[in-house]
Amino acid sequence: MKLRIGNGYDIHRLVEGRPLILGGVVLPHDRGLDGHSDADVLTHAIMDAMLGALSLGDIGHYFPPTDEQWRGANSLTLLQQVNRLIHKKGWTISNLDSVIIAERPKLKPHLQDMQDNLADTLEVDPTLIGIKATTNETLGPTGREEGIAVHAVVLLSALDS
């Protein structure tokens, strides 16, 4: 069986006047993530992990912030495009795991919805997707609530194995 592993990381600044979107879920919060697209940091880290597993660069290569067609883009739509690329290259997701680092809001009540959105978009069983949430114990930019960060890892398997 051929396997490839990739990891991804992303961080976005929290700003007023934008919705907070993680895993395609709009969360109640007084600020949202700043970015060219919808700034869904969870989905961005997952895309980078998928692309990295196959040495295909990062999401900035495919969806550059200088390209107006991606302004305000739904990150789940971008994830769907990355998934198609992975399949076209002969690979599929075996599983993925991620951790969201945020002081607020409390994410636990929303993790299942995020997992379901990602599973639907990636066309995989939700049990193949792990999402955890933690705080940074008030340390660093995420601890000071300046932003939200995500680490993700994905295991891909060859479709022909």
Side-chain angles (χ1 to χ4, degrees):
M1 174 181 275
K2 296 180 191 172
L3 300 172
R4 299 289 293 267
I5 191 167
N7 74 1
Y9 171 81
D10 201 13
I11 186 169
H12 283 268
R13 183 179 308 278
L14 283 162
V15 296
E16 292 182 6
R18 287 190 52 116
L20 177 58
I21 301 170
L22 294 173
V25 176
V26 179
L27 301 169
H29 198 50
D30 60 338
R31 294 176 290 159
L33 295 169
D34 191 24
H36 187 67
S37 66
D38 64 7
D40 182 338
V41 69
L42 172 59
T43 304
H44 293 185
I46 290 169
M47 286 189 283
D48 271 347
M50 292 169 68
L51 292 166
L54 298 180
S55 301
L56 296 174
D58 63 24
I59 62 172
H61 175 77
Y62 297 91
F63 314 108
T66 55
D67 191 335
E68 283 302 307
Q69 74 174 315
W70 308 121
R71 181 171 299 284
N74 181 328
S75 292
L76 293 179
T77 301
L78 306 182
L79 178 63
Q80 191 174 51
Q81 291 183 38
V82 169
N83 197 44
R84 285 187 194 125
L85 174 63
I86 297 305
H87 283 214
K88 186 176 179 181
K89 296 283 186 183
W91 297 84
T92 190
I93 291 175
S94 288
N95 78 301
L96 69 87
D97 192 28
S98 60
V99 60
I100 305 167
I101 306 155
E103 296 298 312
R104 292 183 310 122
K106 293 294 183 196
L107 299 176
K108 187 175 180 180
H110 308 284
L111 296 179
Q112 185 64 55
D113 290 337
M114 293 178 203
Q115 183 182 31
D116 291 342
N117 283 346
L118 293 168
D120 287 345
T121 301
L122 294 168
E123 300 176 327
V124 298
D125 189 289
T127 63
L128 300 180
I129 297 174
I131 306 171
K132 301 173 296 298
T134 191
T135 69
N136 230 22
E137 301 294 331
T138 70
L139 298 171
T142 56
R144 291 187 300 268
E145 297 186 47
E146 295 171 12
I148 293 177
V150 173
H151 292 272
V153 63
V154 65
L155 181 65
L156 302 181
S157 57
L159 288 169
D160 62 4
S161 44

